[in-house]
Amino acid sequence: MAELVLLGTERSHFTRKVRLLMDHLGLDYDMVDIGNVAEADQSLFGENPLMVVPVLRAAGRDLYDSDNIARWLVGRYDPDDRFCVLASTVDAMNLHAVMNGMMSAEVKLVLSARTGLEPAGVPYFEKAREVLAAGMTWLASRADAFTPAKPGWKEFHFISLWDHMTVCDLVPGNWPDLEALAETLRGHELIARSAPPGLEAHC
Ligand SMILES: N[C@@H](CCC(=O)N[C@@H](CS)C(=O)NCC(=O)O)C(=O)O
């Protein structure tokens, strides 16, 4: 086993943003696919009491939460923060907050359906769909904030969100600027490498 072990799944968007960072940092790591993230078995998640992935196993410790993991990796392996993980402008922080929130809204919709709770028509889940639509409008109006020719943390975050929404058929409507952004990002070999299973069928 490598010194760094990432617990996650091939489809998990929160895991993918960390994988993209690790791949771009050139880190040697093993990925352990934990299977169904809807399981209520804490031992699957490196004993993370929140029972979510990703979890990074490093130096004998388990580290929880994608953003914590990214910050830890930068502190240890990339002091110059080449991929702008630590960007702290209001615009950068809002961008990440919105993308994280959209990813969480997706998790609600996907896992409710997976665990037998049909989301259609339930106001709580309808709000999650509204969040995806409003978030998409918000992101589309800021498409020029992304630099697809030189991907960094915000582009890793965006493609993780977008590809997952695509695979899960959750993209509300047409977003030409964001689709073009995603296409350019997918053209980078290091990004294409971690594409979620099933994406080919949509592209
Ligand atoms: N804030 C967490 C969110 C992680 C998360 O929600 N992961 C999803 C998979 S993409 C999960 O494991 N969900 C299981 C559940 O909600 O029961 C992070 O950034 O790591």
Side-chain angles (χ1 to χ4, degrees), residues 12-14 17 37-38 45 51-54 65-67 107 111:
S12 159
H13 44 5
F14 283 107
K17 74 197 235 255
V37 295
F45 300 88
M51 293 187 242
V52 296
V53 289
D65 191 89
S66 57
D67 292 319
V107 171
L111 294 192

Side-chain angles (χ1 to χ4, degrees), residues 9 11-18 34 36-39 45 48 50-55 64-69 100 103-104 107-108 111 164:
T9 72
R11 185 173 271 205
S12 159
H13 44 5
F14 283 107
T15 303
R16 188 175 181 210
K17 74 197 235 255
V18 172
I34 68 126
N36 182 2
V37 295
E39 294 285 345
F45 300 88
N48 179 356
L50 303 177
M51 293 187 242
V52 296
V53 289
V55 171
Y64 310 143
D65 191 89
S66 57
D67 292 319
N68 282 348
I69 295 170
N100 276 334
M103 285 161 73
S104 294
V107 171
K108 283 182 192 169
L111 294 192
H164 188 266

Side-chain angles (χ1 to χ4, degrees), residues 114-150:
R114 190 183 299 172
T115 54
L117 183 59
E118 178 45 55
V122 179
Y124 177 72
F125 296 117
E126 292 302 323
K127 181 171 178 182
R129 280 195 187 278
E130 289 299 322
V131 165
L132 292 182
M136 213 45 105
T137 305
W138 192 93
L139 285 180
S141 71
R142 288 160 180 79
D144 60 0
F146 294 96
T147 53
K150 193 172 177 295

